[in-house]
Amino acid sequence: MDLGMLATRLLFGLQSELFRRGAEEGFDDLRPRHGAVLAHLDEDGLRQTDLTRLAGRNKQTISEPRGS
């Protein structure tokens, strides 16, 4: 098996574990697509403009209301 395939399996395994544990803690509405935002959050906070740039998303996507 090549390195790329192993890395992909590792990524999906970690994502599954992260979202399973999140659901156990009451965050059952988180999905892998939220990872682009979650990866950049820190304790000091982050401006929305910086978050959109880091996540590679646009402002409308980042600020989309819950449930949309």
Side-chain angles (χ1 to χ4, degrees):
M1 185 171 301
D2 71 346
L3 185 58
M5 194 60 155
L6 288 173
T8 300
R9 284 186 175 186
L10 176 61
L11 170 64
F12 288 136
L14 288 171
Q15 273 186 341
S16 294
E17 181 69 9
L18 174 70
F19 292 110
R20 183 187 65 76
R21 287 187 182 197
E24 289 174 358
E25 297 294 324
F27 299 99
D28 57 347
D29 56 348
L30 290 176
R31 301 289 178 259
R33 67 186 173 126
H34 298 118
V37 171
L38 295 173
H40 300 289
L41 298 179
D42 63 30
E43 293 177 7
D44 297 327
L46 198 60
R47 295 177 59 95
Q48 182 180 1
T49 54
D50 295 329
L51 182 58
T52 58
R53 180 180 48 79
L54 290 168
R57 302 290 195 262
N58 61 45
K59 182 179 175 183
Q60 292 76 18
T61 301
I62 296 294
S63 63
E64 183 176 304
R66 187 175 180 174
S68 295

